[in-house]
Amino acid sequence: MKRIWLMVLNNILIVPFWYLKLCYYAWFSKKISDEKKRILFKEIVTRANRGGNVTVRSYGIQNIPKDQPFMYFPNHQGLYDVLALLSNSPYFFSVVVKKELEHIPFLSKIFQIMGAYAIDREDVRQSMKIIQQVSKEVALGKNFLIFPEGTRSKNKNQVGSFKGGTFKAATKAKCPIVPVAIIDSYKVFDTGSIAPVMIQVHYLEPLYYEDYKMMKTTEIAELVENKIKKVVDNK
């Protein structure tokens, strides 16, 4: 967590303003446009990155669908993953997170503004309800992010097994699936180092409904996992 303190200390004069603005956005979330929310997040993460010696390089942004709602499916390395995408995604998105993250200061406000869902991995019924709700929101035009590994990998850049159930929201919404390969994100908060670090975010070519409609969710999971592994293993 040393890098978090570095980010805070190097932005100490503006942190209170950011927090108050996040509180305002969270309170009036329904009245504020998604584009304004995206711009706020980008500003905060960009300044935090600068203060914390973090650089994010993005690739393949042209692969993100422009004319329909979609779902991001990235590999999961740590707490910084969502922030990495918030720093460069050209489109606003919400996220499904584990319930343990609901009450982390600062992050909780971001999740509230995003309209995020907290999932209890031990409660299958609750998990299925959230998947169904996400599919409805995507069908209505909202973009989402789900980590198909279910939990972060503790093996640095080694990609874990993707779970077929996490793709049910996409198949129900019949939306594009955007695989996202994240590289070196674990170095930001999970190593105890404050040395300069560069994160790579690769937006891969999407799978459209016509591409996967005849596939089982386990087959989709394997396909997306292999696409991401190929990028991560070659970097």
Side-chain angles (χ1 to χ4, degrees):
M1 292 299 172
K2 292 180 182 177
R3 198 181 302 269
I4 292 180
W5 283 111
L6 183 64
M7 290 175 168
V8 171
L9 289 173
N10 283 330
N11 290 284
I12 193 66
L13 296 179
I14 199 171
V15 167
F17 171 76
W18 282 346
Y19 187 73
L20 289 174
K21 196 165 185 178
L22 285 173
C23 290
Y24 177 86
Y25 270 52
W27 187 264
F28 296 102
S29 182
K30 292 183 179 179
K31 297 181 179 180
I32 298 171
S33 72
D34 286 349
E35 182 60 12
K36 284 187 176 181
K37 295 173 186 177
R38 185 190 70 81
I39 291 172
L40 174 64
F41 290 151
K42 182 178 178 65
E43 176 190 352
I44 291 175
V45 177
T46 298
R47 291 285 294 269
N49 285 347
R50 193 177 302 133
N53 291 329
V54 178
T55 301
V56 180
R57 296 280 175 83
S58 59
Y59 306 86
I61 284 180
Q62 71 278 3
N63 290 324
I64 304 172
K66 300 178 179 63
D67 56 354
Q68 57 183 307
F70 58 84
M71 293 189 69
Y72 288 133
F73 286 89
N75 57 308
H76 194 13
Q77 295 190 348
L79 286 174
Y80 186 77
D81 295 339
V82 172
L83 301 180
L85 270 73
L86 285 176
S87 74
N88 59 47
S89 173
Y91 306 104
F92 184 77
F93 63 90
S94 188
V95 64
V96 175
V97 298
K98 59 183 180 181
K99 68 174 185 177
E100 291 85 350
L101 299 180
E102 273 188 298
H103 306 297
I104 295 179
F106 215 81
L107 272 182
S108 63
K109 293 299 179 186
I110 290 177
F111 292 148
Q112 188 177 348
I113 294 167
M114 294 175 81
Y117 285 99
I119 199 166
D120 183 350
R121 291 173 295 180
E122 305 300 322
D123 188 335
V124 176
R125 180 175 295 181
Q126 186 259 10
S127 298
M128 288 307 301
K129 285 183 178 180
I130 285 181
I131 292 297
Q132 291 172 357
Q133 188 59 37
V134 168
S135 69
K136 290 178 182 178
E137 293 207 28
V138 174
L140 291 172
K142 192 171 183 177
N143 306 315
F144 260 89
L145 180 154
I146 291 182
F147 292 109
E149 288 163 286
T151 187
R152 66 179 178 174
S153 170
K154 296 183 179 179
N155 296 309
K156 300 181 179 180
N157 282 322
Q158 183 176 329
V159 180
S161 298
F162 285 13
K163 296 174 173 56
T166 59
F167 290 88
K168 288 182 179 179
T171 59
K172 288 178 179 294
K174 301 180 180 180
C175 71
I177 291 170
V178 182
V180 183
I182 300 176
I183 299 172
D184 288 339
S185 177
Y186 71 93
K187 293 180 179 180
V188 180
F189 296 142
D190 297 282
T191 62
S193 171
I194 57 174
V197 59
M198 186 184 78
I199 315 305
Q200 297 181 45
V201 179
H202 296 259
Y203 298 96
L204 310 184
E205 291 187 4
L207 296 174
Y208 290 92
Y209 181 64
E210 291 299 317
D211 300 324
Y212 66 75
K213 66 179 181 180
M214 302 303 293
M215 299 171 65
K216 297 178 181 178
T217 53
T218 51
E219 294 173 329
I220 298 171
E222 183 178 4
L223 177 60
V224 173
E225 178 186 332
N226 289 335
K227 284 178 177 290
I228 291 174
K229 272 186 176 179
K230 185 176 181 180
V231 175
V232 175
D233 291 346
N234 289 332
K235 296 297 179 180

